[in-house]
Amino acid sequence: MSEQRQPRIGVIGTGAIGGFYGLMLARAGFDVHFLLRSEYQDVKRNGLRVNHAELGELALPVVQAWHDVADMPKCDWLLVGAKTTSNADLAEIINQAAAADAKVVLLQNGLAVEDELRPLLTEQVHLLGGLCFICVHRSAPGVIEHEAHGGVNIGYHSGPASAIEGMQIAEQAAAMFGKAGLDSKAMLQLEQARWQKLVWNIPYNGLSVLLNSNTRQLMDEPHSRALVADLMVEVVQAAAACGYSLPEHLVANMLKATDAMPDYWPSMYHDFSHKRPLELQAIYVAPLAAAGAAGCEMPKVAMLLQSLEFLSTR
């Protein structure tokens, strides 16, 4: 990456996540390019808009939007906001969009998503994981509703960098998001950070679909609240079995934080309601497999997965 110019950032998957972070970075003065498919014409014509819970309406009227990756300039950083269910198809797009020594950040949920994508990417690409702590959804083409939060924790996964260099790259990414006004920090252990986020994602994503309820409804009813806590405890135990000790009082703190959130419908609920594939592999299958290999059972998480698999086939 040339030190004589500003880094070029590409967004692959300009949905709620990619659109939000891309817009925030563009507003901070970064050179951001968006790759779109179905919403290309709408965004090209009307721009991007985020209705921010704290800052009000944030607009990016002129968007550097691209419909074909072959036309898009090579990017020094690539933010992948697409769902994990499309990662295999995205690999070639990432390779085409990546400049030499590019840094690819997967802004995705779940476990082992980098492990599955790494063999499909060119060797010179740096692969990082980004854990987004945000309540956001897309309400219309190019229109994103922000409800709460927005921080990103970033860790280096693999590539040509040494361990020290990888941490430095993660710190560069965190600083980039920080300049956009977003709370961000570099993580030394990406896998541990992914397990920690699963403590929230596993119960709320699945139960929102299974019980047709948002976070407020799940927290207000004693039986569902207890089930949320039980699922969280199973994830904490599984993480420990896999060698990742999570912070003390994490479950209590997450329950308290969710109590303070708005009435939020998690992303899996939106995928289910729009008949899109559910991210079952990354959020449930991979953690269950890792826990099983470590000799730890997660019976309630397994039952939740079985229920979601049943619903996803109907």
Side-chain angles (χ1 to χ4, degrees):
M1 182 176 69
S2 172
E3 296 181 358
Q4 303 302 313
R5 65 171 175 84
Q6 185 185 43
R8 181 180 294 129
I9 303 169
V11 177
I12 298 176
T14 309
I17 292 293
F20 175 84
Y21 289 108
L23 179 143
M24 297 298 288
L25 289 165
R27 282 174 49 85
F30 288 96
D31 181 17
V32 185
H33 296 255
F34 298 82
L35 184 65
L36 301 108
R37 290 187 175 176
S38 60
E39 297 187 3
Y40 171 76
Q41 293 294 343
D42 293 286
V43 172
K44 191 70 176 176
R45 180 173 56 250
N46 303 318
L48 280 171
R49 187 173 85 240
V50 168
N51 294 317
H52 198 285
E54 299 169 4
L55 303 177
E57 182 178 310
L58 305 178
L60 189 64
V62 179
V63 177
Q64 297 186 105
W66 305 89
H67 189 252
D68 190 335
V69 68
D71 300 326
M72 185 175 173
K74 301 290 186 181
C75 295
D76 306 298
W77 290 86
L78 288 170
L79 308 181
V80 180
K83 297 289 185 179
T84 57
T85 51
S86 62
N87 275 2
D89 297 328
L90 287 177
E92 184 54 36
I93 294 174
I94 293 171
N95 288 331
Q96 288 185 61
D101 198 42
K103 288 82 175 174
V104 178
V105 185
L106 300 186
L107 301 177
Q108 297 179 326
N109 289 323
L111 192 69
V113 291
E114 295 86 8
D115 294 343
E116 293 185 2
L117 188 60
R118 177 74 259 182
L120 305 177
L121 301 180
T122 56
E123 292 182 1
Q124 67 268 26
V125 163
H126 302 271
L127 185 59
L128 299 92
L131 289 302
C132 305
F133 297 89
I134 188 170
C135 298
V136 68
H137 71 275
R138 183 175 51 191
S139 60
V143 181
I144 299 156
E145 307 298 331
H146 170 264
E147 299 175 63
H149 310 304
V152 187
N153 290 344
I154 300 172
Y156 191 87
H157 178 267
S158 58
S162 66
I164 293 176
E165 292 169 339
M167 189 63 181
Q168 291 173 341
I169 291 172
E171 289 171 346
Q172 290 172 18
M176 190 168 66
F177 282 102
K179 288 180 181 178
L182 300 162
D183 181 29
S184 183
K185 60 183 176 180
M187 306 296 292
L188 185 60
Q189 287 188 308
L190 175 59
E191 199 80 353
Q192 180 172 2
R194 286 207 168 276
W195 272 109
Q196 184 165 328
K197 189 160 188 234
L198 283 169
V199 175
W200 196 95
N201 275 327
I202 280 180
Y204 291 108
N205 270 288
L207 291 179
S208 71
V209 174
L210 186 62
L211 302 180
N212 190 32
S213 300
N214 61 32
T215 54
R216 168 61 43 223
Q217 293 165 329
L218 292 172
M219 295 302 286
D220 283 349
E221 204 287 318
H223 296 90
S224 56
R225 186 186 184 95
L227 180 55
V228 166
D230 289 345
L231 290 164
M232 285 184 170
V233 169
E234 284 194 358
V235 180
V236 171
Q237 292 171 343
C242 293
Y244 302 104
S245 179
L246 300 183
E248 189 178 3
H249 308 305
L250 178 62
V251 170
N253 290 339
M254 282 196 172
L255 292 173
K256 182 179 179 180
T258 309
D259 278 329
M261 282 172 48
D263 302 348
Y264 180 60
W265 294 93
S267 60
M268 190 169 286
Y269 175 85
H270 291 287
D271 289 337
F272 182 74
S273 63
H274 288 92
K275 296 181 170 54
R276 296 190 292 255
L278 304 184
E279 295 184 285
L280 301 183
Q281 172 64 36
I283 297 179
Y284 296 97
V285 176
L288 280 165
C296 178
E297 294 186 357
M298 305 167 72
K300 292 189 176 181
V301 173
M303 185 176 291
L304 179 55
L305 171 61
Q306 290 171 321
S307 301
L308 293 169
E309 286 176 329
F310 170 78
L311 290 174
S312 69
T313 62
R314 295 177 65 88

